[in-house]
Amino acid sequence: MLNSWNGIGRLVRKPDLNYSESGTAICNFTLAIDRNYKNRDGERDTDFINCTAFSKTGEVIAENLDKGRLIAVEGELRLDRWKNNDGEKRSKLKVNVNRFHFLDYKDNKQNNTQNNQQKEQKEQEENFEVPF
């Protein structure tokens, strides 16, 4: 059997990073993913997918992502089951993240990249010699 899930979405809020008693990083975050079709009102519905990443994967996500950032996630679907304080059975579907890919850049990184490219281009133009 195969349990595989892939999705691309934007973070609803800053990821929440905690550590287990054994020291394992646990990063929880929620992705907002628009559906491919429009509803009766001509708008796209949005699904909110709860995700959990462990260890180094979770730490990297928590350190580098913030609300609104675009990310691709690969993982496995898990159904968490528990009883609340009133003894009622509860469940929640989530994704345990195996891999992820950043799909956009922070503004400051993007600006630094553009500035570096402009600087390199200017240096190349200044050092350009016409061969005769």
Side-chain angles (χ1 to χ4, degrees):
M1 299 247 177
L2 180 65
N3 181 354
S4 180
W5 184 88
N6 297 308
I8 297 174
R10 295 202 177 271
L11 270 71
V12 172
R13 68 186 66 80
K14 183 168 181 53
D16 179 35
L17 180 64
N18 294 298
Y19 290 88
S20 69
E21 290 179 11
S22 64
T24 302
I26 303 168
C27 178
N28 292 299
F29 59 96
T30 302
L31 290 181
I33 301 177
D34 289 337
R35 294 188 181 175
N36 289 333
Y37 57 87
K38 294 181 180 180
N39 61 23
R40 292 181 195 163
D41 300 326
E43 298 173 354
R44 294 193 189 277
D45 288 329
T46 303
D47 292 311
F48 296 93
I49 310 298
N50 294 315
C51 301
T52 302
F54 297 95
S55 302
K56 189 65 176 172
T57 301
E59 291 175 330
V60 170
I61 289 172
E63 291 169 7
N64 292 287
L65 294 177
D66 206 345
K67 180 180 177 178
R69 295 289 306 279
L70 188 65
I71 183 175
V73 170
E74 300 174 35
E76 302 170 351
L77 287 175
R78 294 282 185 232
L79 183 63
D80 286 345
R81 295 181 182 130
W82 70 94
K83 288 185 181 180
N84 66 11
N85 293 338
D86 297 329
E88 298 172 340
K89 292 182 180 180
R90 308 294 284 172
S91 64
K92 178 169 70 169
L93 193 61
K94 69 176 188 175
V95 174
N96 278 358
V97 177
N98 294 329
R99 287 183 220 111
F100 68 95
H101 304 280
F102 298 125
L103 297 179
D104 65 358
Y105 299 95
K106 289 183 182 178
D107 288 339
N108 60 354
K109 285 185 180 177
Q110 192 171 17
N111 289 339
N112 288 339
T113 300
Q114 289 174 350
N115 290 340
N116 289 339
Q117 289 173 346
Q118 289 172 352
K119 183 179 176 183
E120 287 175 15
Q121 183 177 0
K122 185 176 179 182
E123 288 173 359
Q124 289 174 356
E125 290 172 358
E126 290 173 355
N127 295 327
F128 180 74
E129 294 180 19
V130 178
F132 283 105

